[in-house]
Amino acid sequence: FYAPTIAIRVPDNEFLQQILSEVGFMISTSCNVHGQANLTNFKDIKNTFSNLDAIVECNLVNYNSSSTIVDLTTKDFKILRQGNYIVK
């Protein structure tokens, strides 16, 4: 599947928002391998992605579901994937 679009992630995490306010932006991938379950603990993340420049270990409560993805390329938005955040 190819679409000439980008995704922008807005974390609901005060620590990550503080980092982003300092650096401006961050390029990242999801914390899972395509088609596999989300990685939710530090050990599994470190073992799966051993070539990362940095990993920040913090207490992420209620982060067991995927991000909500919303398509904003048309006048009427479309939810592509529902996660923890409910779009109103």
Side-chain angles (χ1 to χ4, degrees), residues 32-62:
N32 68 319
V33 176
H34 181 73
Q36 295 184 12
N38 291 341
L39 300 171
T40 58
N41 69 68
F42 183 74
K43 182 180 175 185
D44 290 343
I45 294 167
K46 187 175 177 182
N47 289 338
T48 301
F49 299 103
S50 59
N51 62 341
L52 294 176
D53 293 328
I55 301 174
V56 177
E57 184 176 10
C58 56
N59 184 19
L60 297 177
V61 179
N62 297 324

Side-chain angles (χ1 to χ4, degrees), residues 2-38:
Y2 171 79
T5 59
I6 63 168
I8 300 172
R9 183 171 294 201
V10 182
D12 184 20
N13 179 284
E14 187 176 333
F15 175 73
L16 293 175
Q17 289 176 355
Q18 185 175 357
I19 290 174
L20 290 172
S21 72
E22 295 292 326
V23 300
F25 68 93
M26 184 181 305
I27 298 172
S28 175
T29 183
S30 296
C31 195
N32 68 319
V33 176
H34 181 73
Q36 295 184 12
N38 291 341

Side-chain angles (χ1 to χ4, degrees), residues 68 70 72 77-79 82 84-88:
T68 299
V70 182
L72 300 174
F77 69 86
K78 178 180 174 184
I79 297 175
Q82 184 65 61
N84 282 339
Y85 185 79
I86 305 299
V87 178
K88 299 176 183 177

